[in-house]
């Protein structure tokens, strides 16, 4: 159970760190005067994709928060792997989707 708590905490912290770093990255671009706008809509598409990804990551962080609270403060003594497997599937989906989009944008650019 201790190993589970360590790993769920690490996953939670990595998810929160990603969202914070994504926000700081966009803030740095905006502060540098780089804004993604124009009549073609390509810049706005980047905001939509990054925003949807951030929402998925935040959704995962909320679910991780619930799992983290249950891991440290839950009263149930029986372990079920279903929530962990669902969370792993969710995070892997978000990871694979982001990698696909990154490769797509690199090839299109």
């Amino acid at each position: 159970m201790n190993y589970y708590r360590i790993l769920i905490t690490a996953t939670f912290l990595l998810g929160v760190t990603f969202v914070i770093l994504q926000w700081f990255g966009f803030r740095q671009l905006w502060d540098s005067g780089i804004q993604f706008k124009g009549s073609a809509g390509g810049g706005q598409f980047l905001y939509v994709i990054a925003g949807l990804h951030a929402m998925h990551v935040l959704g995962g962080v909320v679910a991780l928060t619930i799992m983290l609270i249950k891991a440290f403060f839950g009263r149930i003594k029986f372990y079920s792997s279903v929530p962990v497997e669902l969370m792993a599937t969710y995070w892997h989906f978000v990871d694979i989707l982001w990698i696909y989009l990154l490769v797509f944008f690199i090839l299109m650019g």
Side-chain angles (χ1 to χ4, degrees):
M1 190 63 162
N2 237 1
Y3 192 59
Y4 170 73
R5 289 177 178 170
I6 291 169
L7 291 177
I8 201 79
T9 302
T11 305
F12 172 80
L13 292 174
L14 288 170
V16 170
T17 301
F18 176 83
V19 172
I20 291 170
L21 290 176
Q22 190 176 21
W23 173 256
F24 281 131
F26 273 104
R27 289 297 312 166
Q28 187 176 8
L29 286 172
W30 297 327
D31 292 343
S32 298
I34 299 171
Q35 296 182 358
F36 301 101
K37 56 184 174 180
S39 60
Q44 292 84 355
F45 185 70
L46 178 68
Y47 285 127
V48 169
I49 293 296
L52 287 173
H53 181 66
M55 285 179 19
H56 281 107
V57 172
L58 284 173
V61 168
V62 168
L64 277 172
T65 302
I66 293 168
M67 290 179 67
L68 192 67
I69 290 169
K70 286 183 178 183
F72 283 96
F73 303 109
R75 297 175 190 220
I76 298 173
K77 299 298 180 197
F78 299 105
Y79 173 75
S80 172
S81 65
V82 173
V84 176
E85 291 173 7
L86 285 173
M87 185 58 54
T89 302
Y90 181 85
W91 279 106
H92 284 99
F93 169 76
V94 172
D95 291 341
I96 290 169
L97 182 61
W98 188 245
I99 291 169
Y100 167 78
L101 288 172
L102 179 66
V103 170
F104 176 77
F105 286 132
I106 288 172
L107 292 177
M108 292 302 290

